[in-house]
Amino acid sequence: MSFEPKIVAFLCNWCAYSGADLAGVSRLSYPPNMVPIRVMCSGRVDPQFVLEAFRSGADGVFIGGCHTPSDCHYVAGNFKAFKRVVVLKKMLEQLGIEPERLRIEWVSASEGRKFAEVTADFVDTVRKLGPLGLEKGKS
Amino acid sequence: MARIGVFVCHCGINIAGVVDVDAVVREISKYPDVVHAEHYKYMCSDPGQNLLVNAIKEHRLDGVVVAACSPNMHENTFRNACERAGLNRYRCEMANIREQSSWVHAEAPEQATAKAVQIIQVVVEKVKLNAQLKETGVPITRRCLVIGGGIAGIQAALDVADAGYEVILVEKSPSIGGHMAQLSETFPTLDCSQCILTPKMVAVARHPNIKLMTYSEVVDVRGYVGNFKVKIHQHPRYVTKDCNICGKCEEVCPVIVPNEFDRNLSPRKAIYLPFPQAVPARYTIDTNHCLGLNPLVCGKCREVCEAKAIDYDMQAEDIEVEVGSIIVATGYELFPKEKIGEYGYGVYPDVIDGLEFERLLSASGPTGGQLIRPSDGKVPKVVAFLQCTASRDPESYLPYCSKICCMYTAKHAMLYKHHVHDGNAYVFYIDIRAGGKDYEEFVRRVMEEERITYVRGKVSKVFRRGDKMVVWGADTLTGEFVELEADLVVLASGIVPSPDTKKVANILKIPVDENSFLKEAHPKLRPVETLTQGIYICGAAHGPKDIPETVAQASGAASKAISILSGKELYHEPTTAEVNTDACSGCRVCVNLCPFSAISFNERTHTVEVNEILCEGCGTCVAACPTGALKLRNMTDTQIYNMIRAALS
């Protein structure tokens, strides 16, 4: 059987989560590999959450927030998330985790189609990268 | 040890048709701390809610997960049900297995079932550590802000004001009235537009509860439902309230510029009254064109003003107001003909858009109601009306139907025939969409009684030949090429949101859709609400619509705004950040991060404090706190760690 990646998605309540809801309402299908965790803002995503996800066996981590510069319901939480992701990616590289396993995307509440598309694309990317080899070494 | 109950909803076949609900219940029953699990056809129905209430009592549940639709749909329903059973409402959460599983993985039922179990596990982990919270009551500022003074804003303002609440109506241009003031007659009854609009405009001006702020813009909005702090920038119009609109200033003003109200088909002066019935009835100096606000430069208007109403020293003002609810009615614009290459990029004077034609028809218009064409002032004997200009054209322009053009084109053709009895009108159309009360009858009357030629087909090109405009199109019913030499071409241009709509949406932090129209909270059930509580939308800023629909929607938005203003008190979500002062090092990283200035530094204790009323609960500060002293209630780090593990188990 081919490899099916496990992905955790942190979706901000106002944009990405609502966009995912719209994808559902519009019956747009996408791969079922991503389990959503609803957070109020992408700015809530502590870099440690991402590391914990990889440590617990995730092959990829997705963060969905509101469009920059000004869609964020909390003014600029999306910018904060973005800056953290930039630093995190560098750190992941040093840990031997491909930075492409972490993706941040801006999906508005009206972009059901975009949500379905980026999900499919991310699942595909992670599938090509193969399983993350950390789970065995989990302390 | 928590005692969690999981209730899986079939939602008819919406969930159960894909997800194996029996298997989900079986699987989730094995999950730690889940002491009860069952499924039911419709959890949101009365029997479904009763089942929940009884199970809470019977199994002594201290936490509930309802696995059904999105929490945006029914979170309140189930939290209220839990309260009825004596369970704190924050001990209830929803697991979204419909929008985010069954509806999107219909072709993979097994994976959809597995994902549903994971989604429920994640939420079970959250509920386990959810604290029992109580909403905090906050006072309400009983005042409403209406942004936009077209017919939508006018109707909304009047409704709220009539209910006894103060209204601040902000309009960017010098007068209220919007596009409706520019129209000649309205379909399908042919009421004179200004005659039915101006009484409402006067009512706004006279209403004791309405504070009208024209020539003003909303520049900043802070706060939350019940307590918004709004900053309004009022441009100086350089004419005081003493103006008695005698018009002498206008006579002497030496500067002549195009008149926007007449869609640039007539001239106006640099000091002007937009139109005779303008509200407020006051002249405005347009400083973009005035020679200079200085008696040494020109000063002619000030010399002749008997009322001494001209004040060159008038300053812009920034006014701060507090309001409890906000209605956005920023209106529409027509798709610019300058962007349409096949119809000449707006360079031909005899290719005009619908609003220009309205001005030509209007008795108060640039020609005094005489229908002549702009290029040479001749009466057009052949007129081509081009429907769906830019609309329904996803490849090149707008993907959507602009909804009102079929009707206004029929009206235009009819009014044209009333003006020019021996004229010929041709309407090029794709389909006729006349879905409104008496609309179909109206279009039929135009086609049959007025003998207008309707040609089914889109026009591919318009160009000039001598003094004629040549229209190339196809008649798709006969399959023939059509060439028409017309004297005047009227474009039924598509409706786009006014340019300021996006700006206002950004200030208010409310979303717009892919076409930049304001987005409603739910397309069917919450059509005038936004996702932000206390902010409502109406009119064409939300999507193309005609006057009756706009008025109805404005009244709907007003009633929503009133329901906020008339409440006893409002409740603020208690899911805010809190600080453990023992762990706080006083580094103040969070103070600068907080977008709502809810965190302050206490010099005495050398720790930070969170103002729970200002805190909106985004959690940005919590993610940044280096010592872990900050905690987001019911979304703590521990909860999220557990949720991550549950998602991957």
Side-chain angles (χ1 to χ4, degrees):
Chain A
M1 209 183 108
S2 69
F3 160 64
E4 284 301 332
K6 288 185 191 173
I7 296 170
V8 175
F10 297 97
L11 306 179
C12 93
N13 178 58
W14 305 94
C15 297
Y17 193 88
S18 300
D21 276 357
L22 182 63
V25 173
S26 320
R27 310 294 200 280
L28 303 167
S29 81
Y30 53 83
N33 307 55
M34 202 152 95
V35 178
I37 293 180
R38 177 188 179 214
V39 289
M40 292 312 278
C41 179
S42 54
R44 174 69 185 98
V45 181
D46 190 318
Q48 306 244 34
F49 298 165
V50 176
L51 298 177
E52 177 60 34
F54 284 124
R55 216 171 64 95
S56 305
D59 301 302
V61 176
F62 182 91
I63 301 171
C66 306
H67 279 276
T68 53
S70 50
D71 272 12
C72 177
H73 188 76
Y74 304 105
V75 186
N78 48 357
F79 278 103
K80 286 152 196 162
F82 183 73
K83 284 193 209 163
R84 287 167 188 156
V85 166
V86 171
V87 179
L88 253 172
K89 279 183 177 254
K90 286 188 182 159
M91 187 178 169
L92 290 177
E93 215 167 355
Q94 298 196 339
L95 293 171
I97 299 174
E98 297 89 341
E100 299 81 51
R101 291 184 187 274
L102 170 62
R103 184 180 291 189
I104 186 163
E105 287 280 354
W106 313 135
V107 180
S108 83
S110 58
E111 291 177 330
R113 185 163 296 281
K114 182 174 178 189
F115 183 82
E117 282 167 5
V118 295
T119 305
D121 186 65
F122 186 50
V123 170
D124 194 45
T125 306
V126 180
R127 186 178 284 130
K128 281 181 188 143
L129 287 170
L132 181 73
L134 278 187
E135 208 178 5
K136 271 178 258 146
K138 190 173 152 185
S139 54
Chain B
M1 226 350 234
R3 296 183 62 82
I4 308 290
V6 176
F7 301 85
V8 182
C9 179
H10 300 194
C11 195
I13 56 163
N14 279 310
I15 292 170
V18 177
V19 169
D20 181 349
V21 286
D22 275 318
V24 171
V25 166
R26 226 171 22 245
E27 276 302 309
I28 206 70
S29 298
K30 299 178 202 155
Y31 200 74
D33 290 9
V34 174
V35 295
H36 175 75
E38 63 181 307
H39 57 75
Y40 185 70
K41 207 167 172 60
Y42 287 105
M43 279 308 296
C44 60
S45 66
D46 257 4
Q49 292 183 47
N50 289 339
L51 179 142
L52 177 73
V53 170
N54 294 335
I56 292 171
K57 290 177 183 162
E58 192 185 326
H59 300 279
R60 292 178 290 115
L61 302 178
D62 63 4
V64 162
V65 174
V66 183
C69 49
S70 169
N72 290 326
M73 302 292 300
H74 271 305
E75 192 174 72
N76 258 328
T77 311
F78 296 118
R79 285 187 165 177
N80 291 341
C82 285
E83 275 188 339
R84 288 204 295 278
L87 185 67
N88 182 277
R89 61 191 289 112
Y90 291 92
R91 294 287 299 171
C92 169
E93 295 278 353
M94 289 189 73
N96 184 350
I97 60 166
R98 189 181 73 175
E99 280 85 343
Q100 301 189 6
S101 186
S102 69
W103 274 354
V104 285
H105 310 311
E107 73 296 342
E110 273 176 38
Q111 283 100 318
T113 305
K115 184 175 167 184
V117 173
Q118 284 174 315
I119 291 174
I120 298 170
Q121 288 173 357
V122 167
V123 181
V124 167
E125 285 302 336
K126 178 172 190 321
V127 172
K128 275 190 199 173
L129 295 179
N130 264 5
Q132 303 193 21
L133 300 176
K134 207 174 171 312
E135 286 154 325
T136 14
V138 284
I140 305 163
T141 309
R142 296 182 199 281
R143 190 180 294 125
C144 181
L145 170 73
V146 179
I147 307 173
I151 181 60
I154 288 173
Q155 184 64 44
L158 286 172
D159 284 358
V160 177
D162 284 343
Y165 299 99
E166 267 181 65
V167 177
I168 296 166
L169 175 58
V170 175
E171 164 59 41
K172 191 188 172 196
S173 66
S175 169
I176 56 169
H179 284 309
M180 189 177 167
Q182 292 176 300
L183 308 182
S184 60
E185 273 127 82
T186 55
F187 61 79
T189 48
L190 302 185
D191 290 294
C192 151
S193 184
Q194 288 194 336
C195 312
I196 55 175
L197 173 68
T198 47
K200 283 191 186 287
M201 291 167 61
V202 173
V204 165
R206 296 267 161 83
H207 207 296
N209 284 344
I210 299 181
K211 183 179 178 193
L212 178 58
M213 293 182 68
T214 50
Y215 221 35
S216 302
E217 287 171 73
V218 172
V219 289
D220 191 37
V221 175
R222 282 171 192 279
Y224 48 90
V225 57
N227 295 277
F228 292 106
K229 287 187 176 52
V230 182
K231 197 195 247 178
I232 301 165
H233 182 79
Q234 190 160 39
H235 301 285
R237 63 203 303 159
Y238 304 104
V239 179
T240 67
K241 285 197 178 79
D242 299 329
C243 174
N244 57 11
I245 53 167
C246 67
K248 283 186 181 146
C249 52
E250 193 178 2
E251 282 167 25
V252 297
C253 178
V255 184
I256 297 173
V257 289
N259 185 349
E260 307 86 350
F261 184 78
D262 279 337
R263 301 289 283 183
N264 299 341
L265 291 172
S266 73
R268 69 161 168 83
K269 298 294 184 68
I271 185 164
Y272 70 109
L273 190 65
F275 53 102
Q277 305 94 323
V279 169
R282 257 165 92 184
Y283 273 79
T284 302
I285 294 180
D286 163 12
T287 46
N288 288 333
H289 299 102
C290 175
L291 294 176
L293 296 162
N294 187 335
L296 293 176
V297 181
C298 170
K300 285 194 166 66
C301 52
R302 201 171 76 151
E303 282 164 26
V304 296
C305 182
E306 284 167 8
K308 301 261 173 277
I310 293 175
D311 173 11
Y312 292 147
D313 298 322
M314 196 178 270
Q315 296 293 319
E317 267 186 275
D318 276 331
I319 296 147
E320 292 203 14
V321 292
E322 291 185 4
V323 298
S325 54
I326 298 175
I327 297 172
V328 190
T330 44
Y332 74 95
E333 213 16 272
L334 288 185
F335 188 87
K337 57 182 179 178
E338 289 74 19
K339 285 192 185 166
I340 304 172
E342 56 268 40
Y343 301 158
Y345 288 117
V347 295
Y348 305 126
D350 292 330
V351 177
I352 62 175
D353 66 26
L355 278 173
E356 287 169 340
F357 195 65
E358 293 283 347
R359 293 315 297 149
L360 289 179
L361 291 169
S362 173
S364 65
T367 55
Q370 204 192 344
L371 189 60
I372 51 174
R373 65 179 196 171
S375 62
D376 52 12
K378 280 188 193 154
V379 176
K381 294 291 181 190
V382 178
V383 180
F385 294 93
L386 277 42
Q387 286 194 186
C388 293
T389 298
S391 301
R392 301 180 68 193
D393 190 350
E395 284 80 26
S396 314
Y397 305 111
L398 310 171
Y400 52 88
C401 165
S402 292
K403 200 170 182 181
I404 63 170
C405 331
C406 285
M407 291 308 298
Y408 81 61
T409 298
K411 176 195 74 179
H412 282 169
M414 176 188 250
L415 293 177
Y416 165 70
K417 289 286 278 189
H418 290 181
H419 278 78
V420 186
H421 300 299
D422 60 343
N424 283 313
Y426 296 82
V427 176
F428 290 85
Y429 70 101
I430 308 179
D431 303 290
I432 296 297
R433 295 182 168 176
K437 201 174 174 183
D438 295 333
Y439 286 8
E440 175 65 22
E441 295 90 323
F442 180 78
V443 174
R444 204 149 271 286
R445 195 174 127 206
V446 169
M447 286 176 172
E448 290 167 2
E449 288 177 21
E450 305 294 339
R451 305 182 75 80
I452 312 286
T453 311
Y454 269 72
V455 184
R456 187 175 182 275
K458 251 197 122 164
V459 168
S460 60
K461 193 173 173 157
V462 174
F463 58 96
R464 184 153 46 193
R465 184 189 290 157
D467 69 341
K468 299 280 186 192
M469 294 311 304
V470 181
V471 176
W472 276 0
D475 185 336
T476 54
L477 293 178
T478 61
E480 281 168 358
F481 170 76
V482 177
E483 179 179 297
L484 177 72
E485 283 200 341
D487 298 310
L488 183 67
V489 175
V490 182
L491 307 176
S493 303
I495 303 274
V496 292
S498 70
D500 288 315
T501 299
K502 179 95 197 183
K503 213 165 103 186
V504 169
N506 282 344
I507 291 170
L508 291 169
K509 306 284 169 217
I510 54 173
V512 294
D513 65 17
E514 60 272 33
N515 299 310
S516 295
F517 288 109
L518 298 174
K519 184 149 177 65
E520 68 280 4
H522 189 279
K524 292 175 188 70
L525 302 175
R526 296 171 70 193
V528 299
E529 294 166 69
T530 64
L531 282 176
T532 308
Q533 219 198 337
I535 301 181
Y536 307 101
I537 54 178
C538 59
H542 159 257
K545 52 178 71 70
D546 57 24
I547 296 167
E549 211 183 328
T550 295
V551 170
Q553 203 191 14
S555 288
S559 88
K560 284 283 168 196
I562 292 166
S563 73
I564 292 288
L565 302 180
S566 59
K568 256 193 196 141
E569 71 177 348
L570 281 167
Y571 294 97
H572 189 251
E573 276 292 317
T575 46
T576 57
E578 62 178 333
V579 62
N580 172 0
T581 45
D582 288 341
C584 176
S585 67
C587 73
R588 281 174 266 186
V589 163
C590 52
V591 177
N592 293 329
L593 274 181
C594 180
F596 307 103
S597 311
I599 307 181
S600 54
F601 183 69
N602 186 328
E603 294 284 351
R604 199 172 49 80
T605 59
H606 214 72
T607 56
V608 296
E609 286 167 355
V610 178
N611 179 330
E612 286 175 17
I613 298 298
L614 292 177
C615 176
E616 288 284 293
C618 66
T620 301
C621 57
V622 184
C625 179
T627 64
L630 280 163
K631 183 172 114 178
L632 188 64
R633 289 194 182 114
N634 286 0
M635 204 57 181
T636 61
D637 287 0
T638 316
Q639 276 176 304
I640 296 181
Y641 286 134
N642 293 347
M643 289 161 80
I644 292 167
R645 290 181 203 118
L648 294 162
S649 67

